[in-house]
Amino acid sequence: MIDVSEWSTGRRFFDSALSQQQFLTEYWQKKPLLIRQAFQNFISPISADELAGLTLEKDIESRLISYHDEHWQMRHGPFDDADYQQLPDKNWTILVQDVDKHVPDTASILEPFQFIPNWRCDDLMISYATQGGTVGPHTDSYDVFLLQAEGQRHWQVSDSALYDAEVVEVTSGLLQLQHLTGRGWCLEPGDMLYIPPHYGHYGVALSAGMTFSIGFSAPSYRRLLEEVFDNKKLSSSLNRLYSDPQRQVVYNNHEIEAEAINGIQQQLLSLLSLTEGVIVESIGRVVTETKASLITLATDFHLTASITAEEVTDFLRQGGELFKNPYYRFAWLQDRQAQQYYFFMAGQSYPIPLSCDKRWLEKLASASLWCYQDWQEMRQDPDLATLFMTLLNDGGWYYE
């Protein structure tokens, strides 16, 4: 079983002089970093033709961006063979989201990044570009590692974060920076560039090739607060009205007086104090939400009928295996105030007593398959067995 306490903060950060913790301390969300030959002798687990094949699928998010005769164009997939036959020899690129989920063989690319929590990892996006292919100068609100998989690509990166930079919509849905200055690098296969949030960056393919983008996102405060206030545990409190039993006579009838403002603020702050336990649960629900673009694909892995623990035992005893739904996100946490664990899957929360062995929660969140021995050991704890059966029947695991 995985024991995260054994992970070493002194472990080396790829082929650099930095440890993983030094990278986090000195560069993470602070400044860009180029790592030459981060992936030595790198061989892409997916070909350009296979990547293009994904863009033909209607449920897979993809884009085609081209620049011709000083005009930008961005189209969303699915595409067909005729679309590709009409393309010129250069100045275009395709981008495919969530390749790590669509093509499991590519998920191993994410393993060296496990020193960053899984709930922060968004996806592996892969782009293929012909010579001159680019999406233009832009910023992202998330951290991204840009691994050059094939070909050469030139990157220009701003010297600082650009929070209020001027942007222009060059074509529908494609925003680009009007101005970008900064340092430039040419990346060869195996080289990787880290870009913090809001740093401007501009990549142009010097030759046909692929770039792997490992993105790390985070929830917005707006989304977290929405989840907090949507929690059923707060519904009665939120429906209460402002009260002012100490009301005083007013002399300016249309003024919202300072006493009322202070009273409303105090009552809101009092309400927020009730959300402490709800916030803990809401964090887990938000960071494990399924992307809208992946919901249909995720439900394809749901069991067609509910299954019992006895049926699971029989199936696994005969050599069967259960596989994790690749489109769902899993996490867990300890709620110290409520004295319990929470397990999360696909935006749903499952409370678990503290008496359970948390190593099983980590394994449930990280393992990609479940066998008879796993099941026999875990089911010794009735609460964990109940959790697993709930996850299974809620679509988190499946069998072929």
Side-chain angles (χ1 to χ4, degrees):
M1 249 185 293
I2 294 175
D3 184 354
V4 295
S5 65
E6 296 178 357
W7 291 5
S8 171
T9 57
R11 188 172 294 174
R12 207 169 165 198
F13 178 67
F14 294 96
D15 190 21
S16 73
L18 300 171
S19 70
Q20 293 172 347
Q21 187 57 57
Q22 283 177 311
F23 164 75
L24 294 173
T25 301
E26 298 176 24
Y27 291 92
W28 177 255
Q29 299 206 330
K30 302 174 186 70
K31 56 185 177 181
L33 176 65
L34 172 65
I35 309 102
R36 293 291 185 191
Q37 291 303 289
F39 288 75
Q40 296 184 23
N41 304 313
F42 182 74
I43 298 177
S44 174
I46 185 173
S47 68
D49 286 341
E50 290 170 328
L51 185 70
L54 295 178
T55 70
L56 310 183
E57 303 293 332
K58 66 179 180 67
D59 292 325
I60 293 181
E61 186 179 356
S62 62
R63 291 169 288 161
L64 170 60
I65 299 175
S66 60
Y67 183 71
H68 183 64
D69 290 338
E70 299 185 358
H71 291 287
W72 290 91
Q73 184 181 44
M74 182 171 73
R75 297 167 55 196
H76 293 270
F79 306 107
D80 56 34
D81 291 336
D83 293 315
Y84 284 106
Q85 292 170 1
Q86 296 170 6
L87 290 172
D89 293 333
K90 57 184 182 179
N91 297 336
W92 58 268
T93 183
I94 56 172
L95 305 97
V96 183
Q97 302 289 153
D98 294 290
V99 180
D100 55 303
K101 304 170 186 66
H102 305 313
V103 184
D105 285 346
T106 65
S108 61
I109 299 294
L110 304 179
E111 291 178 3
F113 299 93
Q114 289 181 349
F115 65 97
I116 302 170
N118 179 267
W119 64 266
R120 289 284 268 111
C121 185
D122 184 29
D123 75 335
L124 169 63
M125 182 189 77
I126 300 181
S127 63
Y128 169 79
T130 56
Q131 181 181 356
T134 180
V135 302
H138 65 285
T139 63
D140 295 313
S141 58
Y142 50 84
D143 302 85
V144 64
F145 294 86
L146 301 165
L147 167 64
Q148 193 63 27
E150 294 179 356
Q152 296 79 37
R153 193 176 189 90
H154 181 270
W155 285 99
Q156 184 178 12
V157 182
S158 64
D159 296 321
S160 60
L162 307 177
Y163 293 102
D164 301 310
E166 294 183 16
V167 296
V168 59
E169 189 172 23
V170 295
T171 189
S172 179
L174 182 60
L175 299 177
Q176 294 181 353
L177 295 169
Q178 283 195 310
H179 306 286
L180 177 63
T181 59
R183 188 175 178 184
W185 295 279
C186 177
L187 269 62
E188 302 282 345
D191 294 343
M192 186 170 70
L193 180 61
Y194 166 68
I195 308 289
H198 306 293
Y199 270 71
H201 50 290
Y202 181 21
V204 180
L206 303 179
S207 62
M210 288 192 292
T211 302
F212 288 21
S213 300
I214 300 98
F216 289 83
S217 62
S220 69
Y221 293 125
R222 176 187 294 274
R223 179 68 195 96
L224 286 169
L225 286 173
E226 287 174 349
E227 184 65 30
V228 167
F229 291 118
D230 280 345
N231 194 296
K232 294 179 180 179
K233 297 175 184 177
L234 288 180
S235 59
S236 60
S237 297
L238 289 173
N239 288 328
R240 292 205 308 257
L241 302 182
Y242 163 68
S243 60
D244 51 359
Q246 307 302 321
R247 163 62 55 199
Q248 301 293 308
V249 171
V250 299
Y251 298 97
N252 296 308
N253 182 253
H254 288 77
E255 178 190 9
I256 304 174
E257 70 280 19
E259 291 79 2
I261 293 173
N262 290 334
I264 292 173
Q265 288 178 333
Q266 289 302 315
Q267 290 180 34
L268 282 174
L269 290 172
S270 176
L271 177 61
L272 287 173
S273 69
L274 301 175
T275 68
E276 185 174 348
V278 174
I279 289 175
V280 172
E281 182 182 1
S282 298
I283 291 171
R285 292 169 67 99
V286 169
V287 301
T288 59
E289 287 178 322
T290 307
K291 291 181 183 178
S293 60
L294 300 178
I295 290 176
T296 299
L297 291 168
T299 54
D300 288 343
F301 286 90
H302 284 210
L303 301 180
T304 55
S306 60
I307 188 172
T308 66
E310 291 72 22
E311 290 171 323
V312 168
T313 300
D314 290 341
F315 172 74
L316 294 177
R317 184 190 294 122
Q318 296 171 22
E321 292 178 324
L322 295 172
F323 300 91
K324 180 180 287 181
N325 191 324
Y327 295 103
Y328 280 160
R329 299 176 66 87
F330 299 76
W332 64 277
L333 59 77
Q334 180 177 347
D335 185 346
R336 300 182 186 280
Q337 182 186 33
Q339 290 295 296
Q340 65 181 4
Y341 294 118
Y342 275 111
F343 193 88
F344 302 94
M345 180 189 79
Q348 299 300 313
S349 56
Y350 306 84
I352 304 294
L354 278 182
S355 58
C356 293
D357 189 339
K358 67 181 180 181
R359 291 177 298 173
W360 283 109
L361 300 182
E362 179 63 27
K363 184 164 185 176
L364 273 174
S366 62
S368 58
L369 63 85
W370 213 254
C371 64
Y372 181 66
Q373 182 178 351
D374 296 324
W375 171 241
Q376 284 295 90
E377 292 181 20
M378 188 185 67
R379 69 184 303 211
Q380 301 306 311
D381 186 322
D383 291 309
L384 289 171
T386 299
L387 170 64
F388 184 81
M389 291 307 304
T390 304
L391 298 175
L392 178 62
N393 286 306
D394 283 354
W397 295 80
Y398 69 97
Y399 56 84
E400 296 178 338

